[in-house]
C-alpha cells in the first residue's frame, strides 16, 4: 500500500527558529526608472536542519529571497533574523551555491574547494584537511589535483557544494544548482545531495523550477505566487526518504502544486 505524503499543521510545532524572514519586500528599478516589485511581504520561519524548497513562476522572487538571505542584496523593507539577531550583511555561517559552478579555471579542485577557507585566513594544513574531507563527502576523492575543465558538469557542481560546505555554514542557500544538468545527472545529484544532507543535517533553502525535485528533496515546499512574489501555500511533507516517485501520493502532491502554479500562468 502506498505511503501517504502527510501534511502536518505547522502551527502545532514549537521549536526554536534558526532563520526567520519577516515581512520581506524588494523593489527594483526597471526600465525608464519604473519600479518593479519582485517580492512582497515574504514571511517564513526555518528550524535547524530543515530542507526547504521554494518553487514558483519565473520572476516571482525566488532567487531574490536567497540573495537577500546571503547578504548579497538589501531588502526594500522587512528583516531577516539569524539565531534571533537581525541579519544585516553577509555571515560566515550562511553559504551559497549558485547554478553556475563559478570555479576558478586556473586552480585545481582541492584549491577551489579551499577558497572560502583562504578568505577566512585558515592555516594551510587545516585548509587542505578540510577541503579533502568535503571532497570525499561529495564523492570526489582522488580528483584533488584535477582541473575544473577535466570534470563533468555534475562533478563541478559537487565541487561547488564542497566549497560552500568547507566553511562549515549552518545555512546552505542553493539557487537552482542542478538546473543546467541533463536529466540523468540531475537525478544522481539529487540523490547525492540527500546523502550529504543526511550526514550533516545542514539547514538548506533550495530554489528550483522543478516540482518533482522539490518533492523528492524537501521537508517543506514553499509555493510562490507570480510577481510580486508572495507565499501562496506551504506543504509540509511527512514522508521518509528515499521517496518513491511511483507512489500514488507523489502524483497527488505534484499535481496539486502544478495546479497552484498554473493558476499563476507558470
Amino acid at each position: 500500500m502506498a505511503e501517504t505524503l502527510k501534511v502536518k499543521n505547522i502551527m502545532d510545532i514549537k521549536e526554536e527558529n534558526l532563520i526567520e524572514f519577516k515581512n520581506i519586500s524588494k523593489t527594483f528599478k526597471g526600465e525608464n526608472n519604473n519600479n518593479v516589485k519582485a517580492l512582497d511581504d515574504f514571511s517564513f520561519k526555518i528550524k535547524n536542519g530543515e530542507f526547504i524548497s521554494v518553487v514558483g513562476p519565473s520572476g516571482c522572487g525566488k532567487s531574490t529571497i536567497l540573495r537577500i538571505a546571503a547578504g548579497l542584496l538589501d531588502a526594500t523593507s522587512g528583516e531577516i533574523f539569524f539565531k534571533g539577531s537581525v541579519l544585516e550583511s553577509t555571515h560566515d555561517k550562511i553559504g551559497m551555491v549558485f547554478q553556475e559552478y563559478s570555479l576558478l579555471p586556473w586552480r585545481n579542485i582541492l584549491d577551489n574547494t579551499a577558497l572560502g577557507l583562504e578568505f577566512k585566513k585558515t592555516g594551510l594544513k587545516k585548509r587542505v584537511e578540510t577541503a579533502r574531507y568535503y571532497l570525499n563527502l561529495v564523492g570526489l576523492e582522488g580528483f584533488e589535483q584535477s582541473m575544473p575543465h577535466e570534470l563533468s558538469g555534475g562533478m563541478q557542481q559537487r565541487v561547488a557544494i564542497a566549497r560552500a560546505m568547507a566553511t562549515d555554514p549552518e545555512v546552505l542557500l542553493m539557487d537552482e544548482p542542478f538546473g543546467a544538468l541533463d536529466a540523468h545527472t540531475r537525478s544522481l545529484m539529487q540523490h547525492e545531495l540527500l546523502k550529504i544532507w543526511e550526514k550533516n543535517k545542514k539547514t538548506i533553502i533550495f530554489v528550483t523550477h522543478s516540482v518533482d525535485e522539490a518533492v523528492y528533496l524537501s521537508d517543506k515546499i514553499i509555493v510562490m505566487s507570480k510577481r510580486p512574489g508572495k507565499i501562496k501555500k506551504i506543504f509540509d511533507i511527512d514522508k521518509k526518504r528515499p521517496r518513491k516517485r511511483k507512489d500514488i501520493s507523489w502524483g497527488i502532491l505534484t499535481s496539486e502544486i502544478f495546479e497552484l502554479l498554473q493558476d499563476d500562468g507558470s
Side-chain angles (χ1 to χ4, degrees), residues 118-135:
E118 285 186 46
F119 291 150
K120 295 177 70 173
K121 302 188 183 303
T122 304
L124 177 60
K125 182 179 179 181
K126 181 65 174 176
R127 288 203 311 265
V128 171
E129 288 177 350
T130 303
R132 285 185 181 277
Y133 171 79
Y134 282 102
L135 284 173

Side-chain angles (χ1 to χ4, degrees), residues 237-252:
I237 304 175
D238 183 20
K239 180 175 170 59
K240 293 180 180 180
R241 299 176 176 91
R243 294 169 182 160
K244 305 296 183 182
R245 289 177 168 90
K246 64 182 180 181
D247 284 355
I248 295 174
S249 53
W250 180 294
I252 293 171

Side-chain angles (χ1 to χ4, degrees), residues 153-223:
M155 293 171 77
Q156 289 188 57
Q157 191 59 283
R158 291 187 196 189
V159 178
I161 293 170
R163 179 180 58 191
M165 295 181 66
T167 58
D168 194 28
E170 294 184 45
V171 178
L172 192 58
L173 310 171
M174 307 188 77
D175 192 5
E176 297 190 62
F178 308 147
L181 303 177
D182 63 82
H184 177 65
T185 304
R186 185 169 188 158
S187 179
L188 292 175
M189 286 301 299
Q190 291 166 6
H191 180 69
E192 290 300 320
L193 178 59
L194 277 186
K195 284 170 59 179
I196 295 165
W197 175 77
E198 286 169 350
K199 286 180 180 178
N200 58 39
K201 291 292 183 173
K202 299 291 184 186
T203 301
I204 295 179
I205 308 175
F206 188 98
V207 163
T208 178
H209 272 100
S210 170
V211 172
D212 179 87
E213 185 168 70
V215 173
Y216 182 76
L217 294 172
S218 315
D219 294 314
K220 294 187 180 77
I221 300 173
I222 300 173
V223 180

Side-chain angles (χ1 to χ4, degrees), residues 34-266:
N34 292 326
N35 289 333
V36 178
K37 195 166 192 178
L39 200 60
D40 185 28
D41 196 26
F42 181 88
S43 297
F44 189 70
K45 300 176 182 179
I46 301 173
K47 300 175 184 65
N48 186 41
E50 285 191 308
F51 197 125
I52 309 297
S53 285
V54 184
V55 300
S58 296
C60 73
K62 300 186 298 295
S63 295
T64 300
I65 292 165
L66 294 195
R67 282 164 170 73
I68 293 173
L72 303 176
L73 193 65
D74 292 329
T76 303
S77 61
E79 294 177 312
I80 296 181
F81 295 86
F82 179 64
K83 292 185 170 181
S85 299
V86 176
L87 190 63
E88 297 180 329
S89 62
T90 57
H91 196 292
D92 63 1
K93 289 299 180 182
I94 299 178
M96 188 156 182
V97 178
F98 298 91
Q99 181 172 345
E100 304 81 13
Y101 317 129
S102 302
L103 303 183
L104 300 180
W106 60 87
R107 298 185 60 146
N108 65 30
I109 297 311
L110 183 69
D111 290 341
N112 263 289
T113 304
L115 186 61
L117 296 170
E118 285 186 46
F119 291 150
K120 295 177 70 173
K121 302 188 183 303
T122 304
L124 177 60
K125 182 179 179 181
K126 181 65 174 176
R127 288 203 311 265
V128 171
E129 288 177 350
T130 303
R132 285 185 181 277
Y133 171 79
Y134 282 102
L135 284 173
N136 182 47
L137 189 66
V138 299
L140 290 177
E141 184 178 12
F143 290 89
E144 294 87 352
Q145 301 306 313
S146 300
M147 303 302 288
H149 73 271
E150 297 176 309
L151 303 186
S152 67
M155 293 171 77
Q156 289 188 57
Q157 191 59 283
R158 291 187 196 189
V159 178
I161 293 170
R163 179 180 58 191
M165 295 181 66
T167 58
D168 194 28
E170 294 184 45
V171 178
L172 192 58
L173 310 171
M174 307 188 77
D175 192 5
E176 297 190 62
F178 308 147
L181 303 177
D182 63 82
H184 177 65
T185 304
R186 185 169 188 158
S187 179
L188 292 175
M189 286 301 299
Q190 291 166 6
H191 180 69
E192 290 300 320
L193 178 59
L194 277 186
K195 284 170 59 179
I196 295 165
W197 175 77
E198 286 169 350
K199 286 180 180 178
N200 58 39
K201 291 292 183 173
K202 299 291 184 186
T203 301
I204 295 179
I205 308 175
F206 188 98
V207 163
T208 178
H209 272 100
S210 170
V211 172
D212 179 87
E213 185 168 70
V215 173
Y216 182 76
L217 294 172
S218 315
D219 294 314
K220 294 187 180 77
I221 300 173
I222 300 173
V223 180
M224 301 289 292
S225 70
K226 64 182 179 182
R227 191 175 65 221
K230 296 182 178 181
I231 294 179
K232 197 166 186 179
K233 188 166 182 176
I234 300 169
F235 293 86
D236 190 359
I237 304 175
D238 183 20
K239 180 175 170 59
K240 293 180 180 180
R241 299 176 176 91
R243 294 169 182 160
K244 305 296 183 182
R245 289 177 168 90
K246 64 182 180 181
D247 284 355
I248 295 174
S249 53
W250 180 294
I252 293 171
L253 178 57
T254 54
S255 294
E256 185 175 352
I257 296 173
F258 273 124
E259 286 177 8
L260 285 172
L261 294 174
Q262 287 169 356
D263 287 345
D264 277 326
S266 176

